[in-house]
Amino acid sequence: MDERLITHLRHVDLAVPDYDRQLDFYTGTWGLSPQTTDDGIAFLAAEGSPEQYSVRLRRAAEKRLDLIAFGAASDADVDALAERLGRAGVTLVQEPDKLRTPGGGYGFRFFDVDGRTVEVSCDVEVRRHRRVEAGESIPVKLSHVVINSPNPEATVAFYQRHLGFALSDTLHSPHMGEVMWFLRTNRYHHSLAVARGPHTSLHHASFELRGIDEYMRGTGRLLRAGVEKVWGPGRHMAGNNTFSYFLDPHGNTVEYTTELEQLDEDTWHPHLYDFSDPMVSDQWGTANPMSEFVARQSFNDPDRGVFVAPPV
């Protein structure tokens, strides 16, 4: 495996037909702050994060996952990644160049093996952020993104081989075999996970809250607001993080979480967890049982082929 040059997760970009309703949900209900809003495009930041934005919304005729963005440490690392991918025959959407998104920076975009657009960037200006206070049930940062793939083994191999992601843990089922792979690019248990699904799509995007109290307050606030809950509250075994999954107005699954495990990478050995064991999905036993409903919601709507996300 080549040297790891990806440092962290930056943001996830969504296209939606009902832009106004989606914007109202992510700002008024979910707890993100609009940093820059133009006609039909909104950049939404998590108050505790130095990233310019954690979610970008774009008004579009069809719903889709536009982009997943990761960070790198330097121009040289961005260039090295672009060269590595190009040499391997990966399609580059945009060659390394200055970025025109909030905070600027230097980066490039490419298609992964499933045809989704991925961005890698560095030198993005740090956003003026703040410490989220005790009791504030708003996201501190974007924690991780999970994607669906009809050929997850190939997707996992792509991110390991070309981008240096490391495997933390795997979930398997006695009836389906391996069903989810947790990949890390720093000490956090995962910033990306790949799930076995019927089509290419977003499985869920997860947002870190300050602590257990804030996580529970946020979960309760969404329930009182009438947001549809998919699964939770509970605590996973892989990653040891809490979970409460909800549906946004366009049917994307979004998660409140906290206390995602930080690993000693020198000594960590990946586990193979049996997902049919209730303790694996929820150590606390407080969440509604995993069911066909929960699984179906996480499949999401299919993304129809490759798409070049606008460079705004």
Side-chain angles (χ1 to χ4, degrees):
M1 181 182 69
D2 289 315
E3 178 188 2
R4 181 190 295 171
L5 299 179
I6 300 290
T7 56
H8 65 290
L9 176 66
R10 284 200 188 279
H11 52 86
V12 59
D13 298 6
L14 306 173
V16 291
D18 195 342
Y19 169 84
D20 293 332
R21 186 179 177 205
Q22 194 85 333
L23 179 60
D24 180 67
F25 171 81
Y26 278 102
T27 57
T29 305
W30 197 250
L32 299 177
S33 302
Q35 293 301 300
T36 305
T37 303
D38 297 319
D39 184 26
I41 296 178
F43 300 94
L44 311 179
E47 280 296 304
S49 173
E51 294 295 330
Q52 288 287 329
Y53 55 101
S54 296
V55 175
R56 191 197 73 179
L57 297 181
R58 179 178 66 89
R59 190 194 309 275
E62 66 175 357
K63 164 191 168 185
R64 67 180 307 133
L65 171 64
D66 269 352
L67 177 77
I68 302 174
F70 296 97
S74 67
D75 289 14
D77 287 352
V78 168
D79 289 337
L81 275 168
E83 181 184 6
R84 179 193 300 176
L85 290 165
R87 194 169 59 241
V90 175
T91 301
L92 299 188
V93 183
Q94 295 171 7
E95 297 284 346
D97 201 352
K98 293 181 179 179
L99 301 179
R100 294 187 286 127
T101 42
Y106 179 75
F108 73 103
R109 293 178 180 178
F110 61 92
F111 291 136
D112 76 4
V113 69
D114 291 320
R116 66 180 60 81
T117 306
V118 179
E119 179 182 275
V120 177
S121 63
C122 68
D123 295 337
V124 177
E125 183 181 350
V126 173
R127 172 182 170 271
R128 179 176 293 180
H129 56 293
R130 65 176 178 85
R131 178 178 175 83
V132 173
E133 299 297 333
E136 280 192 283
S137 57
I138 59 174
V140 173
K141 66 175 183 177
L142 178 64
S143 171
H144 57 269
V145 173
V146 181
I147 52 178
N148 290 313
S149 172
N151 186 2
E153 290 85 357
T155 306
V156 171
F158 178 93
Y159 281 89
Q160 289 178 311
R161 181 182 308 118
H162 298 304
L163 298 172
F165 279 74
L167 179 68
S168 294
D169 287 318
T170 306
L171 301 182
H172 79 98
S173 159
H175 306 294
M176 297 178 60
E178 295 180 343
V179 294
M180 185 173 287
W181 294 255
F182 298 90
L183 304 175
R184 70 183 186 276
T185 190
N186 50 43
R187 289 187 61 196
Y188 283 98
H189 182 271
H190 59 286
S191 58
L192 180 71
V194 180
R196 187 180 303 280
H199 46 249
T200 298
S201 62
L202 175 66
H203 186 287
H204 74 268
S206 178
F207 297 80
E208 176 85 15
L209 274 73
R210 186 181 191 270
I212 293 289
D213 182 68
E214 292 76 17
Y215 154 78
M216 288 301 295
R217 287 173 183 265
T219 298
R221 177 169 49 77
L222 266 69
L223 290 173
R224 286 172 175 166
V227 179
E228 183 175 2
K229 179 175 70 72
V230 176
W231 195 25
R235 188 171 202 126
H236 294 312
M237 184 167 287
N240 197 35
N241 56 303
T242 61
F243 66 92
S244 293
Y245 297 92
F246 295 88
L247 292 181
D248 75 11
H250 277 82
N252 297 303
T253 299
V254 284
E255 178 189 32
Y256 275 166
T257 190
T258 198
E259 297 187 347
L260 181 66
E261 188 171 8
Q262 296 187 55
L263 311 180
D264 180 346
E265 294 197 87
D266 292 332
T267 61
W268 184 260
H269 294 284
H271 302 84
L272 181 63
Y273 289 117
D274 182 353
F275 195 55
S276 66
D277 179 354
M279 280 290 290
V280 169
S281 59
D282 178 20
Q283 297 181 69
W284 289 344
T286 53
N288 47 308
M290 169 54 71
S291 64
E292 289 187 11
F293 166 77
V294 173
R296 189 168 59 250
Q297 295 302 324
S298 66
F299 290 157
N300 211 334
D301 301 315
D303 281 334
R304 295 191 298 128
V306 297
F307 172 75
V308 181
V312 292

